[in-house]
Amino acid sequence: MSLSSCWSRPKQKSVENKTLPMISLTDPPPTRPAQNPNPNPSSVQADSIISSLLSFPSSTPFSIACSFDRELENALASASDDASVQDRLLNRTIYLASVLLESTKRRFRERASAHNALSWVLPPELTVKVFSKLDTKSLMQVAACCTVFNKCAMDRSSYAHIDLTTATRQADNEVVCTMIHRAGKELRSIKLGHVIRRYGPEPNPMCFNGPFLYSLSYNYGFLGRRLRSLRLYNIGPMNYNSLSNVLSVCSSLTDLRIVGSCVFTHLFMTLSKKCRLIEHLCLVSSHPVGTIDASAGSHLIELVTKSPYLTSLTLVGFQLTNEMARNIVENSRRLKYLNLSRSPKINGHFLRDLGNSCKESPLKTLIMRNCVKLEETEVLELCNSLMKGNFKFIRHIDVSSNNGLVSDGGVRSRSYNPTFPLEKLKEERPDATLVADFPLERSGKRYLVEGDDEELREIEMMEAKNDEVDDDDDDDDSFDDDDD
């Protein structure tokens, strides 16, 4: 089903002579014209003929067809020998039959609509709430099911969470704009693009003609201010200026995820100035991002410093330095999840400084997968720091890599079987888990590639877990305040 024509009138299906518990319908039937209080004689005669037809005694379809064939043949025989006259008679017969069929279908739909309205157990408000959980493609299919569902699917709340990741072929600028305006003031989240699968061919990046989110900027950003979550997966070349203009009006944005792009380093300034309520920021580069200069690095630190609600930060494929990584942790107020995977410059030395300066850091999850310069000695030092009581709130650390760890400070010397005091760490810090998986290349096993759907699901699970803990902590704090 094409989303651009999803609300056009669907084709009617033939009506079978049997009763169904839930009947498939199309659009609501047209309003019947009011009856003439003074019908003319021809109308009375037509009503009489149709009434006689409807009261025709039960008979087999074959016998009815034979009778109709005989009468039609007699009518053709009594007509003029002119072929055009006979053609007009046949065309008129087809037209009358089609009118009778369409009228019967309308009555069938009216009865079925009333039946569905009575048999559907959920009230409209709950039905709309259920529909709001569906992806947009499924919502289109539901809307074409019956009149009852169509009415609920037209509600603005059903489009509060727009998800076009399952309908990438039909999604274009017009469809995205239509869905945004259909949601109106109820708009809360948007998901667009391809989510890459671990297995099977990777889809080509999804491309739009022009700025595909420009509708959010209409009316001084009225719709943009309603948006809470924006997730863009593997969308083709994105213009920085258009994306920056959109984000500048999304002042209420709390969740931003952009996967498979290379315009990230220029967004830090916009986010730091316009999106101060951000809680979850996930940026996954399709290719290694170039070195972050001093200006972009300062805007990144400013973003972390001036975002009091930032609890989750994912920067995959960025050439962050050890100093930048240290500043991110030191300047964050509530950061609990940090993912710096595929950072080609980080060797882990910044963890030593953090162990002394951030003993009370709220950081709970640290992911550094496939960091090619991560050194074995730095990970060992991290283990010792944990056993000394540093990183008090840390619960999960992942330093796995397909390329192993740098051994003895040498770039070419790789260690695939490092010796870490995991047993002792488990005794000293039973609440902390260190994941260090280094599969040999010849074994055929490869570690998760960041950016695929399983990695993103894992990120979401980690963040959701952190959010649950945050809620519990907030409840405890409020209880203490009440006591005071």
Side-chain angles (χ1 to χ4, degrees):
M1 179 185 297
S2 175
L3 294 180
S4 59
S5 60
C6 58
W7 295 114
S8 61
R9 184 182 300 277
K11 296 181 179 179
Q12 306 292 341
K13 297 183 179 179
S14 60
V15 180
E16 298 183 1
N17 188 21
K18 57 183 179 181
T19 303
L20 299 177
M22 194 69 177
I23 308 171
S24 176
L25 301 177
T26 54
D27 289 345
T31 304
R32 299 180 63 183
Q35 294 184 355
N36 189 352
N38 298 315
N40 55 38
S42 60
S43 299
V44 174
Q45 183 180 8
D47 292 345
S48 177
I49 294 174
I50 295 175
S51 177
S52 299
L53 179 62
L54 294 178
S55 61
F56 190 80
S58 300
S59 181
T60 61
F62 179 74
S63 62
I64 296 176
C66 291
S67 299
F68 190 82
D69 287 343
R70 287 195 302 270
E71 293 300 324
L72 184 58
E73 189 66 29
N74 293 334
L76 290 173
S78 60
S80 173
D81 292 336
D82 189 355
S84 61
V85 175
Q86 295 181 354
D87 290 341
R88 286 197 296 270
L89 176 60
L90 291 175
N91 290 334
R92 178 173 175 77
T93 304
I94 293 175
Y95 170 75
L96 293 175
S98 64
V99 170
L100 181 61
L101 178 61
E102 290 300 321
S103 178
T104 305
K105 285 182 178 181
R106 284 197 298 270
R107 294 302 304 164
F108 179 80
R109 292 196 298 270
E110 289 176 2
R111 294 183 68 253
S113 178
H115 169 76
N116 289 349
L118 294 175
S119 61
W120 183 245
V121 295
L122 294 180
E125 57 272 15
L126 288 182
T127 303
V128 171
K129 189 171 183 178
V130 172
F131 286 178
S132 67
K133 305 297 182 181
L134 299 176
D135 62 272
T136 307
K137 183 178 180 180
S138 300
L139 184 62
M140 299 298 97
Q141 296 171 340
V142 166
C145 178
C146 68
T147 305
V148 178
F149 285 0
N150 183 275
K151 184 177 180 180
C152 294
M154 292 294 289
D155 192 279
R156 289 186 181 275
S157 299
S158 296
Y159 296 86
H161 305 283
I162 300 173
D163 183 359
L164 290 170
T165 56
T166 59
T168 52
R169 292 184 179 181
Q170 295 88 353
D172 54 19
N173 294 36
E174 182 180 358
V175 169
V176 175
C177 181
T178 300
M179 297 305 163
I180 291 176
H181 284 285
R182 189 174 294 279
K185 64 180 181 180
E186 300 297 330
L187 181 64
R188 293 298 179 269
S189 69
I190 298 176
K191 291 183 182 180
L192 298 176
H194 293 284
V195 179
I196 297 179
R197 308 297 174 184
R198 284 192 63 203
Y199 305 105
E202 296 182 359
N204 295 325
M206 184 178 181
C207 298
F208 288 93
N209 297 322
F212 53 94
L213 294 173
Y214 60 89
S215 300
L216 297 175
S217 303
Y218 286 170
N219 195 15
Y220 302 100
F222 173 77
L223 297 180
R225 289 193 297 271
R226 297 292 189 272
L227 194 65
R228 299 291 186 272
S229 175
L230 176 61
R231 302 185 182 186
L232 307 176
Y233 300 100
N234 301 291
I235 294 179
M238 286 190 291
N239 182 272
Y240 159 68
N241 292 327
S242 61
L243 183 59
S244 179
N245 292 335
V246 169
L247 293 177
S248 64
V249 300
C250 299
S251 57
S252 301
L253 200 65
T254 61
D255 177 29
L256 175 62
R257 305 186 182 210
I258 306 178
V259 177
S261 183
C262 296
V263 298
F264 301 129
T265 55
H266 301 288
L267 292 180
F268 296 139
M269 180 175 63
T270 302
L271 295 176
S272 63
K273 296 183 180 300
K274 303 295 184 179
C275 303
R276 297 290 181 81
L277 302 180
I278 197 78
E279 297 178 12
H280 307 292
L281 178 60
C282 177
L283 305 178
V284 180
S285 175
S286 57
H287 303 289
V289 178
T291 302
I292 299 180
D293 56 22
S295 176
S298 63
H299 289 306
L300 173 59
I301 302 304
E302 181 183 3
L303 170 63
V304 174
T305 304
K306 295 184 178 181
S307 300
Y309 305 104
L310 184 64
T311 59
S312 172
L313 178 61
T314 297
L315 300 174
V316 176
F318 286 76
Q319 295 201 36
L320 297 172
T321 63
N322 286 278
E323 182 180 0
M324 290 181 182
R326 178 176 58 81
N327 288 333
I328 288 175
V329 180
E330 288 182 343
N331 290 279
S332 62
R333 304 180 188 179
R334 300 180 59 181
L335 192 63
K336 292 178 172 58
Y337 179 95
L338 180 61
N339 190 334
L340 302 178
S341 298
R342 278 199 278 128
S343 297
K345 289 188 174 183
I346 290 180
N347 61 13
H349 186 75
F350 71 98
L351 295 171
R352 296 191 181 189
D353 300 330
L354 292 177
N356 299 322
S357 61
C358 298
K359 294 183 178 181
E360 301 296 326
S361 172
L363 188 64
K364 296 182 178 181
T365 302
L366 176 62
I367 309 295
M368 294 188 296
R369 295 173 178 168
N370 290 326
C371 293
V372 294
K373 289 189 177 181
L374 188 60
E375 298 180 2
E376 179 182 358
T377 55
E378 299 300 335
V379 177
L380 180 60
E381 184 65 26
L382 174 60
C383 293
N384 295 330
S385 181
L386 290 175
M387 290 185 290
K388 292 178 182 178
N390 297 333
F391 299 102
K392 180 179 178 181
F393 297 97
I394 203 77
R395 296 294 180 268
H396 184 86
I397 300 173
D398 193 340
V399 294
S400 302
S401 175
N402 291 322
N403 300 312
L405 297 176
V406 176
S407 178
D408 299 330
V411 178
R412 296 185 178 180
S413 178
R414 315 297 299 187
S415 173
Y416 289 92
N417 190 23
T419 302
F420 297 138
L422 298 181
E423 293 297 330
K424 187 176 181 181
L425 176 63
K426 188 175 181 180
E427 294 178 1
E428 299 291 337
R429 295 287 300 272
D431 56 345
T433 301
L434 175 65
V435 179
D437 188 4
F438 308 104
L440 294 176
E441 187 173 0
R442 62 175 179 272
S443 68
K445 178 182 177 183
R446 304 294 289 172
Y447 205 66
L448 286 178
V449 178
E450 293 76 9
D452 61 20
D453 56 337
E454 290 195 15
E455 172 73 9
L456 294 175
R457 277 200 299 269
E458 185 174 348
I459 291 174
E460 294 172 357
M461 290 175 60
M462 291 283 188
E463 293 171 347
K465 186 175 181 181
N466 290 333
D467 288 343
E468 293 177 359
V469 176
D470 291 345
D471 294 338
D472 294 340
D473 294 342
D474 293 340
D475 294 340
D476 294 340
D477 294 341
S478 60
F479 181 77
D480 295 338
D481 294 340
D482 294 338
D483 290 343
D484 295 340

